[in-house]
Amino acid sequence: TNLLICAIITTQLLRRSPPTNTIETATMNVRGHKKTKTMMKRRSASSRSWVLPTVVAVTTSLFTIQAFVLYQLLSAGDSKGGGRNGQQASPSAGDPVAAGGNANVPASSSSTSMVNGILAATERRTAMTSNEHDRSYGMAYHDSFGMIDNVDDEAWQRARQWARGFRQHTKNKPLSYIYLKEFWFYTHYDPYFSCPEQRRIGMVGDGPKWVCNMHRLKGIGERRWKEETAAAAQAQSSAAAASAYDPKKYGCLIYSIGSNGDYTFEDAVYNQLGGPECEIHIFDFSGNFQRRYNEARNMHFHKWGYQGSKDAPKEPFADLQTIVKRLGHEGRVIDLFK
């Protein structure tokens, strides 16, 4: 702050320093005759030596005043024993040192007061952190089938109430403005909840997609395996508890329906996870979009189309249940379905 004030003062002083008028005499040779010409020139002051002492004096004064005020504050704190209105600060439950944590240090010293304040603030932060950990996130986790684990029950309950009272259609008529395609999207099906950590995977364009809690895919297979083995251990099933981690059973699994040869999304997932951690299956019947390095990235292309379970069977289309069975993924969790 002092340096900024001095810089402003210096700038103002330099701007306001008056210029000086000087007279110069020049001798010129014009057609063999010497002529003397007197010119008036406007120049800035050649000497501004008074500016530096002024700035130094202002800076010194500022530091002196601040040092004096600080000294008076510290002296007042020592004489009053760190309390208010001349009274001794009383110990409190939130102050571990004042409550007897450090009885060898005199309570009247300013250093003790400072330590007490730091310890009390630390204890408050610890209590806040404990309260944060005590908050329940089970409601969102349950209702979202395990996808959302970072919204506490209170916030989730508010979102529930808002969703139940939210009308998705203007005047409750889903077909209103049906002939005005662009306008229809502004009057129907607006979102009433957003994932706290949504990311667009793959930058912009048609290939990239918005994904909720992308960070949870990192290491999700091993976490799933540990949870299951821990549950098996509690059930005293030694065989299940001793089973080794099998990525084909517990590992991260992604289904990507439709690609048209655009691997922007799948490659972005691979890069975000830092390697072939997730088993990615791409489905598209419109062409052969296999790449030679797909296997190294744990990507698998299938020239299949996707259809509903109530549609008549037709090759190369298959419904979700058929795809899962063909790939041997029964009992596995599809962590990301695009």
Side-chain angles (χ1 to χ4, degrees), residues 117-140:
I118 294 173
L119 292 178
T122 304
E123 185 172 290
R124 285 194 297 272
R125 285 196 299 270
T126 304
M128 291 172 62
T129 305
S130 300
N131 293 336
E132 181 71 21
H133 289 172
D134 291 340
R135 294 166 66 181
S136 174
Y137 297 83
M139 189 180 293

Side-chain angles (χ1 to χ4, degrees), residues 17-286:
S17 59
T20 57
N21 296 326
T22 58
I23 299 176
E24 289 188 359
T25 302
T27 302
M28 297 176 290
N29 190 353
V30 181
R31 295 180 181 180
H33 300 281
K34 291 184 177 180
K35 291 186 177 182
T36 303
K37 187 176 181 180
T38 303
M39 296 174 290
M40 179 75 71
K41 288 189 176 181
R42 189 177 180 85
R43 291 182 176 178
S44 299
S46 59
S47 176
R48 290 176 177 172
S49 58
W50 54 274
V51 174
L52 182 60
T54 302
V55 174
V56 172
V58 172
T59 307
T60 305
S61 301
L62 288 172
F63 276 108
T64 303
I65 293 172
Q66 291 173 358
F68 177 76
V69 172
L70 182 60
Y71 172 76
Q72 293 296 325
L73 290 174
L74 292 176
S75 300
D78 287 340
S79 62
K80 295 178 181 180
R84 295 183 181 181
N85 300 325
Q87 297 177 355
Q88 180 70 28
S90 59
S92 62
D95 194 335
V97 175
N102 193 351
N104 296 325
V105 182
S108 61
S109 67
S110 59
S111 59
T112 303
S113 301
M114 184 179 296
V115 171
N116 291 348
I118 294 173
L119 292 178
T122 304
E123 185 172 290
R124 285 194 297 272
R125 285 196 299 270
T126 304
M128 291 172 62
T129 305
S130 300
N131 293 336
E132 181 71 21
H133 289 172
D134 291 340
R135 294 166 66 181
S136 174
Y137 297 83
M139 189 180 293
Y141 188 84
H142 174 269
D143 290 354
S144 66
F145 301 98
M147 183 176 72
I148 298 175
D149 64 345
N150 51 359
V151 178
D152 62 80
D153 289 352
E154 183 179 350
W156 188 259
Q157 187 64 32
R158 288 197 301 268
R160 264 182 168 183
Q161 294 172 356
W162 170 252
R164 286 168 180 165
F166 190 82
R167 294 196 310 176
Q168 288 287 9
H169 308 288
T170 300
K171 300 178 182 179
N172 287 329
K173 296 180 179 179
L175 297 182
S176 60
Y177 307 108
I178 191 66
Y179 299 106
L180 301 173
K181 182 172 62 176
E182 293 80 4
F183 189 68
W184 186 87
F185 283 105
Y186 288 98
T187 56
H188 302 281
Y189 294 113
D190 279 342
Y192 51 79
F193 175 79
S194 296
C195 175
E197 295 198 38
Q198 55 183 341
R199 300 287 183 271
R200 188 163 178 81
I201 306 302
M203 301 302 290
V204 296
D206 179 54
K209 298 291 184 269
W210 288 98
V211 179
C212 178
N213 288 343
M214 179 70 189
H215 64 279
R216 292 189 59 203
L217 293 181
K218 186 74 174 177
I220 193 171
E222 293 191 9
R223 291 198 300 273
R224 187 180 294 133
W225 168 67
K226 290 178 181 178
E227 290 174 1
E228 186 170 316
T229 52
Q234 284 186 349
Q236 297 180 352
S237 175
S238 58
S243 63
Y245 172 69
D246 182 7
K248 292 186 177 181
K249 181 180 179 182
Y250 302 102
C252 171
L253 182 61
I254 296 176
Y255 279 12
S256 178
I257 309 295
S259 70
N260 197 29
D262 185 355
Y263 279 82
T264 304
F265 173 77
E266 293 79 13
D267 288 339
V269 170
Y270 174 87
N271 293 329
Q272 289 248 344
L273 297 176
E277 182 163 341
C278 285
E279 182 181 336
I280 305 176
H281 291 265
I282 304 103
F283 306 89
D284 198 316
F285 71 97
S286 62

